[in-house]
Amino acid sequence: YLDSGIGQTADVGQYAANTWGFFDMHGSVWEWTADRYGTYPTGNPVIDPPGAASGSSRVLRGGSWGFDGTFLRSARRISGPPGNRNYNLGFRVGFRASK
């Protein structure tokens, strides 16, 4: 986002969906997760690691519009205290459309 010159959040669905049909998986805002921040597990592949067993910092993923492209990936994570509020932090709301 920063590299692109957009310089702000974007409305959902402004860009094409990824291979799995998800929109806006990277950029816009860092996304809060419920996982506690800690040492990342090793192994290949690591699928849905639960986070540390204790601690107060939580994991934020995906990068935000205020960072360069190297941060814009779901595997990129940073830590933050749960009470932290900022213009570049948010969360993802998901739903399954009924057929």
Side-chain angles (χ1 to χ4, degrees), residues 7 11 17-18 22-25 29 45 50 56 59 75 79 81 87 96:
D11 291 337
N18 66 15
F22 296 115
F23 290 91
D24 310 308
M25 293 300 294
V29 295
S56 60
V59 174
S79 67
Y87 62 89
R96 180 183 302 265

Side-chain angles (χ1 to χ4, degrees), residues 32-69:
W32 285 108
T33 72
D35 294 341
R36 289 186 181 95
Y37 190 85
T39 304
Y40 207 73
T42 59
N44 190 12
V46 175
I47 299 171
D48 196 17
S54 64
S56 60
S57 289
R58 300 292 194 231
V59 174
L60 292 135
R61 288 193 179 270
S64 84
W65 63 267
F67 289 75
D68 66 41

Side-chain angles (χ1 to χ4, degrees), residues 6 9-10 13 17 19 25 29 33 38 46 69 74 85 88 93:
I6 294 172
T9 59
T19 304
M25 293 300 294
V29 295
T33 72
V46 175
S74 56
R85 303 289 182 263
N88 65 355
V93 177

